[in-house]
Amino acid sequence: MSGMKSAFSFDGIQIAFTSGQSIMQAVLDGGGYIPHLCYHPQLSVHGSCRLCMVKVGDRYLSACTTEAQNGMQVENQISELRELRLKLLEMLFAEGNHFCPSCELSGNCQLQALAYELGMTHSRFPLQYPTRKRDGSHATVFLDRDRCINCEICVRASRELDGKNVFSLSGRGSDTALQINSEDGRLGSTDLIATDSSARLCPVGALVFKQGNYAERPNERLYDTHIISETGNRRPAVVSGGYPELGE
Amino acid sequence: MRDKTDKLRRIAIEPVTRVEGHGKVTLLLDEEGRVVQARLHIVEFRGFEKFIQGHPYWELPLLVQRLCGICPVSHHLAAAKAIDQIVGVETLSPAALKLRRLLHFGQVLQSHALHFFHLASPDLLFGYDSEISKRNILGVLHKHPQLALQGVKIRKFGQQIIEAISGKRIHGIAAIPGGMNKALAPSVVSTLQTSIREILPWATQALELAKQLCLADRVHFDGFASLPSRYLSLVAPNGALELYDGKLRIRNSDGSSYIDQFDPCAYDQLINEEARDWSYMKFPFLIAEGPEQGWYRVGPLARVNNCDFIPTPKAEQARQEFLALSGDPLVHGTLAYHWARMIEALHCAEAIDLLLQDSELCSDDLQRQGQKSNEGIGVIEAPRGTLFHHYRIDDQDCVETANLIVSTTSNNHAMNESVRLVADAKLSGREITPELLNLVEVAIRAYDPCLSCATHAVGQMPLKIELHDVRQGLLHWLHKDQRGDFVAA
Ligand code: SF4
Ligand code: FES
């Protein structure tokens, strides 16, 4: 690593950073945690989910897009941020169909884990019950758009890690939806393969595999036994090189 | 049954508060005051077949187990069996099959223990006309503490098995397409082995108690809603009692064979369902006999009546005694469900004991693969009777159509008829008595329908009975609230 070592205060703890690092990168490198959904250490920054909002002075800034500054006072674990994050999560749940009891990612899902972490019990927003198109045309990968939170991780992973261009987001506002870049718009007609990073990094159960599901019993899955602020975001067994290995 | 109802008086028995759905019983009287028709109206499982449409097929075992809080494992496994066919797996690995069987024995044991100790034993121990506030599991605990505690522990043991295999006592994850997800750890098996040694004698005692209570008032036992009927269940290829797999057998009420070793996957050539505008629960019937005559009964009584033998020694001995004491050649009394249920509970305990000695439970050879198809039918014997799950999937691997015939549905006609028999025998004059209301409940409860499970775990099923006359309107009503207090007109 190059650059001058500097530090900022994160909930009263000094976090060292290298110049050019975002608050998010510095905190994760330092073993801390800021809630996030659209950020992934191996990918370019998207800054769309706003879960990573922190308070610097009297301003709310997204930690993944804000460069760390020497001497900054960053607040993370405060009740007003908890309330804002909770609202964002509730909106995400209301916008999709997140039927956790049958979802393959339940117990390993970052959206669900954050909801547990923030103590969400229900959504204060009217449930939308969307009926977006599911895509089961691919031999091994299944897409349920009603569970997609438009984080664009798969979009970026396909372009930046896989050297492909399988996904894109299109539409505006509440009509935004994940599109497949193939002639008929179906996953089965793309060059996506099961080992692609884009097929393995979805933080929720929107992009899942068709085989090998439910390998673990409830109570044995990652977020059944850990809270996400302890472990960080992780999709066990499929994350390589992104987040550090989980030390037991 | 009569169709012309305009000249008849109507009594409605209406659950006032319910945990899920609403139910109501109406009794129809002719001019002589005889009960000519009973209708049990139930809202149940409506919309589930629709709700699961579009979901990927591998989610089915987890989705459909939410149908029921008492026997989710049976739904989980029925769906899993259907999915085995979809993924083209005809034969599971021995380890997966044994784990599934063990899981299901745990389910049936816990459900039967719950039913007998929580729902049935209060009536049987204290009598139907005893003080209603004592007639529940708390009353049993107070009066017969050891017995009640054993009942609670038998149930808990069933739940322990479910939890060990599926991770949770309720709504866990165990069966996956073509197999099971996890083996049992040897340490878990040995803990369960220790527990079963205690459970076996208790299950034997519980059966003995059920038998004694049934036989204590022989006239009542034989006469209460005695309903000669056909019986449908799965049996093993050798005719043995079978809860997880097997082929369909139907016996006529005289014990003769109606059909045997019928492929359950062809169930839709044997059984159809009729919808009636007064109930959300359909009426299954044997196609060849038509909707009026083609009804049949399922559940513990059907299984014990149908099988040639039970493949564990103590339960088999009990089956022989059961038939010798009350079979002619089959047993038709509705209260016999309780006795048959506890014979099965003992069978489950014996079978669990045997399975727990099998080292294959710890084998990691758990999943098979095959050639995909687009249709699967899973049939299993749930605690309350034969359960059918039928799915078709589209080329996107999502559920296109689903058909579920749940056990309680198959007993629909029989429950109505049992209520009618009891009401006809006990109704006198133009007033509904608390005793009548109770007996109607007892008749319904013998079948252990999900209806009573949902409402009757500790307290009493809240009911309202109304007596109507077309000319004079409301004649009389009786209401029993959740605490068992009566309010009359
Ligand atoms: S499919 Fe998953 S990774 Fe892709 S945008 Fe949706 S939620 Fe994000
Ligand atoms: S993680 Fe920063 S905006 Fe999503």
Side-chain angles (χ1 to χ4, degrees), chain B residues 218 222 305 320-332:
Chain B
R218 192 62 204 254
D222 288 339
N305 267 334
Q320 289 179 13
E321 195 184 1
F322 173 71
L323 290 178
L325 281 172
S326 44
D328 184 24
L330 305 184
V331 185
H332 298 301

Side-chain angles (χ1 to χ4, degrees), chain A residues 143 147-155 169 178 201-204 206-207:
Chain A
L143 168 65
R147 293 173 209 184
C148 174
I149 55 169
N150 297 340
C151 70
E152 264 205 1
I153 282 184
C154 59
V155 177
L169 276 189
L178 191 67
L201 292 180
C202 177
V204 294
L207 268 179

